[in-house]
Amino acid sequence: MLGTADNANFDLFVEQMTGVRQWMAGNGYRARPLYVTEHGVLMPDGYGFGPFSPAEVSAYMTKTFSYLLDTVDVNWGYPADNQRLVQHVSWYSVNDKFNPATWSGFNGYLFDPGLGNQRSPMG
């Protein structure tokens, strides 16, 4: 059973990306690009959700981006993009910083809105 700690589970991410591409190929959509419009680690650090410190988020981001940039598959990849599985990805969040006082916002923000949008440790 999946839990909130799986929010930064690299193996699950790979399984999902491969699964979507396999589904696309099996349903006549292989020749279409795949856009991942929101990708990230949403759960904040220190609230019993898991090890989602800036270092953990950065490690997950780096590992998944490397996977997205480097992984090709001749059976399921997008032929027009050298068989890559994913063509576009958007990290969430750019500056939606978690606020524990209001329980709003998310983890993984690249720029800190409270500091004039300076780069965060993850940025």
Side-chain angles (χ1 to χ4, degrees):
M1 176 169 212
L2 298 177
T4 52
D6 289 305
N7 206 255
N9 182 329
F10 177 74
D11 293 333
L12 180 59
F13 175 81
V14 168
E15 180 182 317
Q16 291 171 337
M17 293 299 102
T18 303
V20 168
R21 261 299 170 192
Q22 287 173 339
W23 180 91
M24 289 175 72
N27 287 280
Y29 297 104
R30 181 171 178 211
R32 302 215 180 189
L34 175 59
Y35 289 25
V36 178
T37 59
E38 291 187 10
H39 164 57
V41 178
L42 301 180
M43 298 297 135
D45 185 36
Y47 290 88
F49 295 119
F52 303 127
S53 67
E56 292 286 333
V57 173
S58 294
Y60 178 76
M61 181 172 53
T62 300
K63 193 170 184 178
T64 57
F65 280 9
S66 292
Y67 172 82
L68 293 170
L69 289 170
D70 299 335
T71 302
V72 297
D73 190 293
V74 296
N75 297 309
W76 306 302
Y78 180 47
D81 188 26
N82 297 318
Q83 308 299 347
R84 284 187 182 84
L85 299 182
V86 177
Q87 284 57 63
H88 297 279
V89 64
S90 178
W91 180 259
Y92 194 89
S93 155
V94 172
N95 67 350
D96 195 5
K97 182 179 181 180
F98 179 71
N99 181 343
T102 62
W103 275 86
S104 62
F106 296 96
N107 199 356
Y109 56 95
L110 302 178
F111 298 93
D112 191 329
L115 298 175
N117 283 323
Q118 291 179 17
R119 283 182 16 179
S120 74
M122 293 154 290

